[in-house]
Amino acid sequence: MAGSFSSTLHHQRQGNSGPVLLLVHGFPMSHLQWKHQLDEFSKTCRVIAPDLRGLGMSPLRQGQTTLSIEDHADDLVELLESLQITEPVVLMGLSMGGYIAWQMVKKYPHRLRALVLCHTRVIADTPEQAAGRHQLAQRTVETRSAEPVLETMLPRLLPPSVQPSVADAVRIMARQTTPEGLAANLHALATRIDATSLLSTIQVPSLVISGELDAISPLAEMSQWASLIPHAEFISLPGVGHVSPLEAPELFNRTVHEKALW
Ligand code: MLT
């Protein structure tokens, strides 16, 4: 296991053999969102779990106040280059991690070997949703606190039935992030593009994982767009919300193993 600040993103690496598995977390989280996957998948993969820029322990670049989803995809490729990884990787992305996967499909398809798309969407924010994110970003910077983000998002990220320790884990990740980093990432979410037209271009095996209780990426919507990916399998996990790798790690890990995507 290794944690490091490269010239690019803070990341954790685990595992010595097998394909490269790049774990791309959601907002407002960090690579710790994958804490139950690192041990499990590093038995068969070389796992890399970065903190996306502005989140966790990856600082914004000097003077940076906004980010785009495309910036995140560029950062991931820069990270792979810095680690001298040239072979295609399995990208497992959750929610914002899935939005980033669409940009990887668009700009860097040769970097991908397979996709695991968890609790994510292909459509852009409505103007009202985007305006709400910009207001939230402003409140986050003004109050110098993660609390506005947590108050707004936590009830939608996790179902009411969730274990308190899971909600605490999300709180810890958000509070480890600077207000400026949260705000820059809210800007990235608000300005993301509709990726529907990219779906039919995906040539790699894909697994789409949804949650029965997901309030952010609804199951029916995910099932609909998953059907537009040529080599995708869609699966719905019972009793979980938006963050199944943390909420139900054994079920999540077993499901991914059973599907034997790589
Ligand atoms: C995430 O989990 O990355 C966010 O919920 C994405 C979003 O709010 O659209």
Side-chain angles (χ1 to χ4, degrees), residues 110-169:
H110 57 286
R111 289 278 185 181
L112 300 172
R113 162 184 179 145
L115 288 169
V116 185
L117 301 154
C118 316
H119 309 286
T120 193
R121 310 187 79 189
V122 284
I123 54 176
D125 272 4
T126 63
E128 294 74 26
Q129 284 168 332
R133 300 226 208 234
H134 289 306
Q135 280 163 13
L136 186 55
Q138 200 176 337
R139 275 188 19 235
T140 301
V141 173
E142 279 168 8
T143 59
R144 304 216 46 72
S145 157
E147 299 318 302
V149 168
L150 286 169
E151 279 160 23
T152 307
M153 295 195 66
L154 211 46
R156 303 189 67 232
L157 282 169
L158 300 172
S161 53
V162 79
Q163 300 267 346
S165 61
V166 174
D168 285 344

Side-chain angles (χ1 to χ4, degrees), residues 195-210:
T196 309
S197 64
L198 294 170
L199 298 177
S200 64
T201 73
I202 297 175
Q203 293 305 322
V204 293
S206 304
L207 177 62
V208 179
I209 300 180
S210 70

Side-chain angles (χ1 to χ4, degrees), residues 25-29 94-97 99 121 125 133 153 157 189 192 216 242:
H25 62 82
F27 177 88
M29 295 175 273
L94 183 135
S95 197
M96 184 164 83
Y99 308 160
R121 310 187 79 189
D125 272 4
R133 300 226 208 234
M153 295 195 66
L157 282 169
L189 291 170
R192 74 184 191 279
I216 295 178
H242 187 66

Side-chain angles (χ1 to χ4, degrees), residues 171-236:
R171 286 191 190 95
I172 289 168
M173 289 186 267
R175 288 173 184 156
Q176 277 172 348
T177 286
T178 62
E180 289 77 12
L182 292 170
N185 276 284
L186 282 163
H187 182 85
L189 291 170
T191 56
R192 74 184 191 279
I193 55 154
D194 186 315
T196 309
S197 64
L198 294 170
L199 298 177
S200 64
T201 73
I202 297 175
Q203 293 305 322
V204 293
S206 304
L207 177 62
V208 179
I209 300 180
S210 70
E212 182 192 22
L213 307 177
D214 191 335
I216 295 178
S217 311
L219 186 156
E221 180 187 299
M222 287 190 66
S223 148
Q224 198 276 328
W225 61 250
S227 69
L228 304 176
I229 301 179
H231 312 286
E233 183 167 356
F234 173 78
I235 188 135
S236 147

